[in-house]
Amino acid sequence: HADAALSHAKARGRNNVQFYSPQLTAQASHRLMLESELRRGVERQELLLHYQPKFDLATQKLVGAEALMRWCQPQRGMVSPMSFIPLAEETGLIVRMGTWALHESCHAVASWNRERAADPLKIAVNLSARQFAEGHNLVEAVQGALTASACKPEWLELEITESLLLDGSEGVRQSLEALAAMGITIAIDDFGTGYSALGYLTRLPVQTLKIDRSFVSELPHNGKSAELVKAIVSVGRSLNMALVAEGVETAEQAEYLKNAGCHLAQGYLFGRPLEMAAFDKLLSS
Ligand code: C2E
Ligand code: MG
Ligand code: MG
Ligand code: MG
């Protein structure tokens, strides 16, 4: 892309300032358009959740799901969270969207568990740093979602990223303590991709580590990733935490992870994120 821009600029000779400015304007206006579409989309209920099944590696049993947000934009179709979540975070819209996802997820897991004879399922919901900002009352929002759907706190896991913890604010710590005291578990998403300061693991109420897909996808052939995964499992297990591997695509990867001592896994090998109806079907099959 940059190369193309450069050769285009060269082709236009010295007068390349004119080349860049219309492009920047186009980018900015595209962003503004997307932002207003997202705002409208939230109001018009174009958001939905897909649920990716999560399995116990030792017993092969379904243990829960991760809720993943989707935006079904009438003209564009399904927009990836990779493009609309950052926009939602920048604009602050994520706070409303996140509260909606909490309600929707608690409702889903409560409905699954009401009809379930086997062990109750647990649902994992992704949180953004902005939801922890003071004034947004994350703890109240979570409590509200549990109450509204009669969802037990132990059916809910909240996924956060390392960067949130390393920002190290007292408000974040207090929110996490309050959520943990309610019986909700906290997971570190994409573990191993952030910074290497591990001290927070002993200071904060974190119960689950999710091993990032970038390590899992290199198993078992990349020796360095294989050793890194073993080290993460070892840290997690010695701190009495649950380990979840993300992005498991092959039986070999699952086998390696199981032997390494990882408890749970999700990934295309076990199932893609599913619409509610398809997940319901999986449960009744
Ligand atoms: P994440 O939380 O790390 O979610 C895992 C991502 O990996 C999902 O992408 C999932 O569809 C994908 N995935 C799962 N298994 C496999 C696999 O076997 N192979 C490959 N190649 N990919 C796999 P998705 O749904 O596109 O979501 C991307 C990211 O967007 C999420 O990463 C999360 O950070 C964010 N996100 C999604 N939903 C929400 C939400 O409700 N709130 C917030 N704050 N962020 C969300
Ligand atoms: Mg996640
Ligand atoms: Mg993840
Ligand atoms: Mg990831």
Side-chain angles (χ1 to χ4, degrees):
H1 201 89
D3 283 354
L6 195 62
S7 60
H8 193 147
K10 273 183 189 156
R12 293 179 58 131
R14 279 167 222 123
N15 194 12
N16 57 10
V17 174
Q18 269 179 19
F19 171 75
Y20 287 106
S21 62
Q23 204 198 10
L24 278 178
T25 311
Q27 272 176 11
S29 71
H30 177 78
R31 215 199 91 107
L32 269 173
M33 190 174 68
L34 209 61
E35 181 185 332
S36 72
E37 279 177 13
L38 183 57
R39 213 171 278 282
R40 215 177 320 139
V42 172
E43 274 156 26
R44 296 186 182 170
Q45 310 190 346
E46 292 166 8
L47 297 178
L48 59 155
L49 293 178
H50 281 183
Y51 301 95
Q52 183 173 39
K54 195 186 287 183
F55 283 83
D56 184 309
L57 282 165
T59 64
Q60 312 257 25
K61 280 191 182 149
L62 179 74
V63 294
E66 176 174 5
L68 293 159
M69 212 183 276
R70 299 289 179 262
W71 177 23
C72 190
Q73 210 280 336
Q75 277 87 46
R76 296 170 201 275
M78 216 53 114
V79 184
S80 162
M82 308 286 235
S83 60
F84 74 83
I85 296 282
L87 184 68
E89 286 173 339
E90 285 164 37
T91 56
L93 267 174
I94 194 68
V95 176
R96 255 179 86 188
M97 292 162 66
T99 300
W100 168 81
L102 282 165
H103 276 261
E104 192 81 358
S105 298
C106 289
H107 182 77
V109 77
S111 77
W112 297 332
N113 287 339
R114 255 197 306 278
E115 296 170 20
R116 207 174 148 73
D119 288 345
L121 299 175
K122 188 161 182 154
I123 194 139
V125 181
N126 293 283
L127 292 183
S128 288
R130 285 200 71 155
Q131 293 175 263
F132 284 83
E134 263 149 272
H136 289 321
N137 287 319
L138 174 65
V139 178
E140 265 174 45
V142 172
Q143 185 59 64
L146 293 175
T147 308
S149 54
C151 175
K152 293 189 184 173
E154 57 267 32
W155 297 344
L156 180 62
E157 179 153 270
L158 299 174
E159 298 193 3
I160 60 175
T161 57
E162 284 173 276
S163 55
L164 175 78
L165 300 179
L166 291 157
D167 287 349
S169 89
E170 179 60 14
V172 168
R173 198 189 62 76
Q174 281 173 4
S175 298
L176 293 176
E177 294 286 0
L179 293 165
M182 286 159 65
I184 292 163
T185 55
I186 310 293
I188 309 291
D189 206 351
D190 307 329
F191 185 76
T193 60
Y195 308 81
S196 52
L198 295 175
Y200 67 81
L201 292 179
T202 64
R203 289 193 302 273
L204 293 166
V206 172
Q207 295 81 15
T208 304
L209 295 183
K210 295 194 77 175
I211 305 170
D212 191 62
R213 173 158 63 86
S214 58
F215 307 127
V216 172
S217 67
E218 309 242 286
L219 296 177
H221 304 295
N222 181 323
K224 283 188 181 162
S225 289
E227 289 309 313
L228 202 54
V229 165
K230 276 193 204 157
I232 293 173
V233 171
S234 159
V235 167
R237 290 190 79 111
S238 55
L239 295 175
N240 216 3
M241 298 172 77
L243 289 136
V244 183
E246 46 172 42
V248 180
E249 294 184 355
T250 71
E252 264 185 319
Q253 290 165 358
E255 187 65 19
Y256 183 92
L257 288 158
K258 186 178 77 176
N259 293 334
C262 181
H263 307 102
L264 309 179
Q266 60 187 92
Y268 296 166
L269 175 68
F270 300 100
R272 290 187 177 249
L274 300 168
E275 317 182 351
M276 181 73 167
F279 196 88
D280 285 347
K281 220 174 190 175
L282 177 82
L283 287 181
S284 59
S285 67

